[in-house]
Amino acid sequence: MAEVVSVPPLLSGNLAFFFDLDGTLAEIKPHPDQVYIPAAVRTLLQKMSVMSDGALALISGRSMAELDKLATPFHFPLAGVHGAERRDINDKTHVVTLPAPLVKTLQRELSDALALMPGTELEAKGMAFALHYRQAPEAEEAIMWLAQKLTKRFPELALQPGKCVVELKPLGINKGAAIRAFMQEAPFAGRTPVFIGDDLTDEAGFKQVNALGGLTIKVGAGDTLATYRLANVRMVYHWLGKLTHHIEKQQKTETLRGEDYESLSSSL
Protein backbone atom coordinates (compact mmCIF):
# COMPACT_ATOMS: atom_id res chain seq x y z
CA MET A 1 0.00 0.00 0.00
CA ALA A 2 1.36 3.40 -1.00
CA GLU A 3 1.45 6.28 1.44
CA VAL A 4 -1.77 8.20 0.89
CA VAL A 5 -1.86 11.99 1.19
CA SER A 6 -5.32 13.34 1.96
CA VAL A 7 -5.64 15.98 -0.77
CA PRO A 8 -4.24 15.65 -4.32
CA PRO A 9 -2.36 18.62 -5.76
CA LEU A 10 -3.71 20.93 -8.45
CA LEU A 11 -1.79 19.95 -11.57
CA SER A 12 -1.42 21.68 -14.90
CA GLY A 13 0.25 20.81 -18.19
CA ASN A 14 -0.55 18.02 -20.61
CA LEU A 15 -2.93 15.83 -18.61
CA ALA A 16 -5.09 12.84 -19.55
CA PHE A 17 -8.10 12.13 -17.33
CA PHE A 18 -9.66 8.77 -16.49
CA PHE A 19 -12.73 8.47 -14.25
CA ASP A 20 -14.53 5.57 -12.67
CA LEU A 21 -18.26 6.27 -12.42
CA ASP A 22 -20.17 4.66 -9.52
CA GLY A 23 -18.76 5.94 -6.23
CA THR A 24 -16.54 8.46 -8.03
CA LEU A 25 -18.54 10.67 -10.41
CA ALA A 26 -21.88 9.51 -9.00
CA GLU A 27 -23.13 8.55 -5.56
CA ILE A 28 -23.76 4.83 -5.10
CA LYS A 29 -27.46 4.01 -4.91
CA PRO A 30 -29.40 0.92 -3.73
CA HIS A 31 -30.04 -0.02 -7.37
CA PRO A 32 -27.75 0.73 -10.37
CA ASP A 33 -30.64 2.27 -12.33
CA GLN A 34 -30.95 5.01 -9.69
CA VAL A 35 -27.42 6.32 -10.27
CA TYR A 36 -26.88 9.63 -12.08
CA ILE A 37 -24.17 12.22 -12.69
CA PRO A 38 -25.40 15.72 -11.78
CA ALA A 39 -25.80 18.02 -14.81
CA ALA A 40 -23.24 20.49 -13.45
CA VAL A 41 -20.67 17.70 -13.12
CA ARG A 42 -21.32 16.48 -16.67
CA THR A 43 -20.76 20.02 -17.92
CA LEU A 44 -17.55 20.20 -15.89
CA LEU A 45 -16.31 16.96 -17.47
CA GLN A 46 -16.99 18.35 -20.93
CA LYS A 47 -15.03 21.47 -20.06
CA MET A 48 -12.11 19.35 -18.83
CA SER A 49 -12.27 17.30 -22.02
CA VAL A 50 -12.05 20.41 -24.19
CA MET A 51 -9.14 21.80 -22.14
CA SER A 52 -7.26 18.50 -22.55
CA ASP A 53 -7.95 18.21 -26.30
CA GLY A 54 -10.33 15.30 -25.74
CA ALA A 55 -8.03 13.27 -23.45
CA LEU A 56 -10.76 12.31 -20.99
CA ALA A 57 -12.33 8.86 -20.70
CA LEU A 58 -14.82 7.09 -18.45
CA ILE A 59 -13.59 3.68 -17.19
CA SER A 60 -16.32 1.59 -15.61
CA GLY A 61 -17.77 -1.84 -14.99
CA ARG A 62 -20.95 -0.55 -16.63
CA SER A 63 -21.61 -1.10 -20.32
CA MET A 64 -20.74 1.66 -22.79
CA ALA A 65 -24.45 2.08 -23.54
CA GLU A 66 -25.07 2.86 -19.87
CA LEU A 67 -22.09 5.22 -19.73
CA ASP A 68 -23.33 7.16 -22.77
CA LYS A 69 -26.75 7.48 -21.17
CA LEU A 70 -25.29 8.75 -17.89
CA ALA A 71 -22.97 11.23 -19.66
CA THR A 72 -25.60 12.63 -22.04
CA PRO A 73 -25.54 14.99 -23.90
CA PHE A 74 -21.75 14.65 -24.00
CA HIS A 75 -19.76 12.01 -25.87
CA PHE A 76 -16.48 10.78 -24.37
CA PRO A 77 -14.04 7.95 -25.06
CA LEU A 78 -15.17 4.99 -22.94
CA ALA A 79 -14.05 1.69 -21.47
CA GLY A 80 -17.05 -0.37 -20.40
CA VAL A 81 -17.26 -3.71 -18.58
CA HIS A 82 -13.79 -3.00 -17.09
CA GLY A 83 -12.33 -2.64 -20.58
CA ALA A 84 -13.95 -5.62 -22.31
CA GLU A 85 -15.47 -2.99 -24.59
CA ARG A 86 -13.69 0.26 -25.42
CA ARG A 87 -14.42 3.26 -27.67
CA ASP A 88 -11.51 5.46 -28.72
CA ILE A 89 -11.48 9.14 -29.65
CA ASN A 90 -12.38 8.25 -33.27
CA ASP A 91 -15.45 6.24 -32.17
CA LYS A 92 -13.76 2.97 -33.10
CA THR A 93 -15.00 0.19 -30.81
CA HIS A 94 -12.77 -2.60 -29.50
CA VAL A 95 -14.61 -5.58 -27.95
CA VAL A 96 -13.44 -8.72 -26.16
CA THR A 97 -16.06 -11.47 -26.12
CA LEU A 98 -16.65 -14.88 -24.56
CA PRO A 99 -17.65 -17.91 -26.66
CA ALA A 100 -21.42 -18.00 -27.21
CA PRO A 101 -21.87 -21.49 -25.68
CA LEU A 102 -20.07 -20.35 -22.51
CA VAL A 103 -22.25 -17.23 -22.25
CA LYS A 104 -25.35 -19.42 -22.59
CA THR A 105 -24.12 -21.82 -19.93
CA LEU A 106 -23.23 -19.03 -17.50
CA GLN A 107 -26.57 -17.29 -18.05
CA ARG A 108 -28.48 -20.46 -17.23
CA GLU A 109 -26.41 -21.59 -14.24
CA LEU A 110 -26.11 -18.14 -12.67
CA SER A 111 -29.82 -17.44 -13.11
CA ASP A 112 -30.70 -20.71 -11.42
CA ALA A 113 -28.25 -20.16 -8.56
CA LEU A 114 -29.23 -16.57 -7.80
CA ALA A 115 -32.94 -17.48 -7.93
CA LEU A 116 -32.26 -19.37 -4.70
CA MET A 117 -30.74 -16.27 -3.04
CA PRO A 118 -33.50 -13.69 -2.42
CA GLY A 119 -32.33 -10.09 -2.82
CA THR A 120 -29.48 -10.92 -5.19
CA GLU A 121 -29.52 -9.85 -8.83
CA LEU A 122 -27.81 -11.09 -11.98
CA GLU A 123 -26.70 -8.46 -14.50
CA ALA A 124 -25.78 -9.97 -17.87
CA LYS A 125 -23.50 -7.70 -19.90
CA GLY A 126 -22.96 -9.95 -22.92
CA MET A 127 -19.25 -10.57 -22.33
CA ALA A 128 -19.45 -10.49 -18.52
CA PHE A 129 -21.82 -11.16 -15.63
CA ALA A 130 -22.27 -9.13 -12.44
CA LEU A 131 -23.62 -10.86 -9.33
CA HIS A 132 -25.11 -8.12 -7.12
CA TYR A 133 -25.84 -8.64 -3.42
CA ARG A 134 -26.28 -5.08 -2.10
CA GLN A 135 -29.83 -5.95 -1.04
CA ALA A 136 -28.72 -9.29 0.44
CA PRO A 137 -25.34 -8.85 2.18
CA GLU A 138 -25.80 -12.22 3.90
CA ALA A 139 -25.34 -13.83 0.46
CA GLU A 140 -21.78 -12.51 0.01
CA GLU A 141 -20.05 -15.77 0.96
CA ALA A 142 -22.30 -17.88 -1.27
CA ILE A 143 -21.88 -15.47 -4.19
CA MET A 144 -18.09 -15.53 -3.84
CA TRP A 145 -18.05 -19.34 -3.62
CA LEU A 146 -20.18 -19.60 -6.77
CA ALA A 147 -17.94 -17.21 -8.71
CA GLN A 148 -14.75 -18.97 -7.60
CA LYS A 149 -16.21 -22.34 -8.58
CA LEU A 150 -17.00 -21.08 -12.09
CA THR A 151 -13.56 -19.48 -12.65
CA LYS A 152 -11.92 -22.79 -11.71
CA ARG A 153 -14.21 -24.63 -14.10
CA PHE A 154 -13.76 -22.16 -16.96
CA PRO A 155 -10.14 -20.87 -17.08
CA GLU A 156 -11.02 -18.24 -19.69
CA LEU A 157 -12.88 -16.37 -16.92
CA ALA A 158 -11.54 -13.99 -14.26
CA LEU A 159 -13.21 -13.03 -10.99
CA GLN A 160 -13.49 -9.34 -10.09
CA PRO A 161 -14.80 -8.38 -6.62
CA GLY A 162 -16.35 -4.95 -6.13
CA LYS A 163 -18.60 -3.12 -3.69
CA CYS A 164 -21.44 -5.59 -3.01
CA VAL A 165 -20.85 -7.22 -6.38
CA VAL A 166 -18.72 -9.98 -7.87
CA GLU A 167 -18.14 -10.03 -11.61
CA LEU A 168 -17.14 -12.78 -14.01
CA LYS A 169 -15.33 -11.38 -17.04
CA PRO A 170 -12.86 -12.47 -19.75
CA LEU A 171 -9.40 -13.23 -18.38
CA GLY A 172 -6.87 -10.40 -18.83
CA ILE A 173 -9.50 -7.65 -18.91
CA ASN A 174 -9.12 -4.88 -16.32
CA LYS A 175 -9.13 -1.11 -16.01
CA GLY A 176 -5.33 -0.95 -16.04
CA ALA A 177 -5.21 -2.64 -19.45
CA ALA A 178 -7.89 -0.24 -20.74
CA ILE A 179 -5.94 2.80 -19.54
CA ARG A 180 -2.74 1.40 -21.08
CA ALA A 181 -4.51 1.05 -24.44
CA PHE A 182 -5.79 4.63 -24.30
CA MET A 183 -2.34 5.94 -23.36
CA GLN A 184 -0.91 4.46 -26.56
CA GLU A 185 -3.32 6.49 -28.70
CA ALA A 186 -3.98 10.14 -29.49
CA PRO A 187 -4.96 12.37 -27.77
CA PHE A 188 -3.85 10.54 -24.59
CA ALA A 189 -0.33 9.55 -25.71
CA GLY A 190 2.47 11.68 -24.25
CA ARG A 191 0.28 13.11 -21.49
CA THR A 192 0.41 12.60 -17.73
CA PRO A 193 -2.50 10.34 -16.72
CA VAL A 194 -4.83 11.13 -13.81
CA PHE A 195 -7.16 8.36 -12.59
CA ILE A 196 -9.83 8.61 -9.90
CA GLY A 197 -11.66 5.53 -8.60
CA ASP A 198 -13.18 4.14 -5.43
CA ASP A 199 -13.07 0.35 -5.18
CA LEU A 200 -11.17 -2.89 -5.84
CA THR A 201 -11.91 -2.80 -9.56
CA ASP A 202 -9.90 0.44 -9.80
CA GLU A 203 -6.69 -0.89 -8.23
CA ALA A 204 -5.40 -2.27 -11.56
CA GLY A 205 -5.91 1.23 -12.97
CA PHE A 206 -4.01 2.80 -10.07
CA LYS A 207 -1.14 0.38 -10.62
CA GLN A 208 -0.91 1.22 -14.33
CA VAL A 209 -1.12 4.99 -13.84
CA ASN A 210 1.49 4.89 -11.05
CA ALA A 211 3.83 3.03 -13.41
CA LEU A 212 3.32 5.80 -15.98
CA GLY A 213 4.23 8.49 -13.42
CA GLY A 214 0.68 9.80 -13.21
CA LEU A 215 -1.66 10.88 -10.41
CA THR A 216 -3.90 8.30 -8.69
CA ILE A 217 -6.74 9.20 -6.35
CA LYS A 218 -8.77 6.84 -4.18
CA VAL A 219 -12.27 7.94 -3.17
CA GLY A 220 -13.22 6.85 0.34
CA ALA A 221 -11.56 4.60 2.90
CA GLY A 222 -9.64 1.37 2.43
CA ASP A 223 -6.21 0.10 1.46
CA THR A 224 -5.12 1.23 -1.98
CA LEU A 225 -2.27 1.63 -4.44
CA ALA A 226 -3.42 5.22 -5.07
CA THR A 227 -1.11 7.95 -3.81
CA TYR A 228 -3.83 10.46 -2.89
CA ARG A 229 -7.29 10.28 -1.39
CA LEU A 230 -10.58 12.19 -1.43
CA ALA A 231 -13.14 11.42 1.27
CA ASN A 232 -16.27 11.04 -0.85
CA VAL A 233 -18.02 11.89 -4.12
CA ARG A 234 -18.85 15.40 -2.98
CA MET A 235 -15.14 16.06 -2.38
CA VAL A 236 -14.42 14.74 -5.89
CA TYR A 237 -16.77 17.39 -7.29
CA HIS A 238 -15.11 20.08 -5.18
CA TRP A 239 -11.59 19.08 -6.23
CA LEU A 240 -12.51 18.82 -9.92
CA GLY A 241 -14.00 22.31 -9.80
CA LYS A 242 -10.81 23.72 -8.27
CA LEU A 243 -8.62 21.79 -10.70
CA THR A 244 -10.58 23.01 -13.72
CA HIS A 245 -10.32 26.61 -12.54
CA HIS A 246 -6.58 26.15 -11.97
CA ILE A 247 -5.98 24.68 -15.44
CA GLU A 248 -8.11 27.35 -17.08
CA LYS A 249 -6.13 30.08 -15.33
CA GLN A 250 -2.80 28.48 -16.35
CA GLN A 251 -3.90 28.17 -19.97
CA LYS A 252 -5.01 31.81 -20.10
CA THR A 253 -1.66 32.89 -18.66
CA GLU A 254 0.21 30.86 -21.29
CA THR A 255 -1.97 32.36 -24.05
CA LEU A 256 -1.25 35.89 -22.86
CA ARG A 257 2.48 35.17 -22.71
CA GLY A 258 2.34 33.84 -26.24
CA GLU A 259 0.52 36.95 -27.46
CA ASP A 260 3.03 39.23 -25.70
CA TYR A 261 5.90 37.31 -27.32
CA GLU A 262 4.32 37.63 -30.77
CA SER A 263 3.76 41.37 -30.25
CA LEU A 264 7.38 41.85 -29.18
CA SER A 265 8.66 39.82 -32.12
CA SER A 266 6.61 41.82 -34.63
CA SER A 267 7.77 45.14 -33.13
CA LEU A 268 11.39 44.08 -33.54
Side-chain angles (χ1 to χ4, degrees):
M1 181 182 71
E3 181 181 355
V4 180
V5 179
S6 60
V7 179
L10 298 179
L11 299 180
S12 58
N14 292 325
L15 303 175
F17 297 101
F18 300 98
F19 295 98
D20 171 49
L21 198 138
D22 295 76
T24 300
L25 291 178
E27 299 282 2
I28 292 177
K29 300 292 185 181
H31 194 277
D33 291 345
Q34 298 172 329
V35 169
Y36 67 95
I37 304 174
V41 177
R42 280 176 274 151
T43 300
L44 183 62
L45 291 174
Q46 174 65 9
K47 189 173 185 180
M48 295 177 73
S49 177
V50 171
M51 290 193 300
S52 59
D53 297 323
L56 183 149
L58 305 183
I59 313 283
S60 174
R62 288 178 179 267
S63 68
M64 292 199 304
E66 290 178 292
L67 293 176
D68 268 334
K69 183 177 179 181
L70 288 164
T72 190
F74 306 113
H75 188 80
F76 303 115
L78 305 172
V81 196
H82 308 289
E85 53 179 10
R86 191 173 68 87
R87 182 177 73 206
D88 63 26
I89 192 69
N90 298 313
D91 279 344
K92 183 178 179 181
T93 300
H94 312 260
V95 179
V96 177
T97 60
L98 291 171
L102 175 56
V103 172
K104 186 176 181 180
T105 296
L106 291 171
Q107 178 74 53
R108 182 184 69 253
E109 294 191 14
L110 289 170
S111 295
D112 290 346
L114 267 62
L116 302 175
M117 304 181 201
T120 64
E121 181 179 351
L122 176 64
E123 181 185 1
K125 302 179 180 182
M127 72 290 287
F129 293 86
L131 288 61
H132 296 276
Y133 56 90
R134 183 172 297 278
Q135 304 303 315
E138 68 280 1
E140 179 180 5
E141 186 175 345
I143 289 281
M144 184 62 72
W145 178 85
L146 174 63
Q148 290 173 338
K149 180 181 176 182
L150 288 168
T151 54
K152 289 178 181 178
R153 183 174 154 200
F154 301 109
E156 56 267 66
L157 294 176
L159 185 155
Q160 177 63 70
K163 288 184 177 178
C164 298
V165 63
V166 175
E167 298 199 44
L168 294 169
K169 61 181 183 178
L171 186 67
I173 296 300
N174 60 63
K175 292 183 180 181
I179 290 173
R180 182 169 62 249
F182 276 123
M183 291 299 294
Q184 294 171 351
E185 306 168 345
F188 300 90
R191 292 175 172 267
T192 300
V194 178
F195 178 46
I196 309 180
D198 73 304
D199 71 8
L200 290 172
T201 67
D202 300 308
E203 293 298 320
F206 294 149
K207 182 178 181 180
Q208 179 63 42
V209 170
N210 286 342
L212 293 171
L215 188 78
T216 50
I217 304 168
K218 161 83 169 179
V219 182
D223 289 349
T224 184
L225 294 174
T227 51
Y228 296 95
R229 192 185 300 272
L230 290 167
N232 50 45
V233 173
R234 189 169 294 277
M235 289 305 298
V236 172
Y237 298 162
H238 179 69
W239 185 76
L240 289 180
K242 289 177 63 177
L243 178 63
T244 303
H245 177 73
H246 175 73
I247 294 173
E248 189 174 40
K249 187 176 179 181
Q250 289 291 108
Q251 290 183 345
K252 285 182 179 179
T253 299
E254 290 172 5
T255 299
L256 289 174
R257 285 175 181 170
E259 290 174 353
D260 289 343
Y261 178 78
E262 289 180 4
S263 297
L264 178 59
S265 296
S266 60
S267 65
L268 294 175

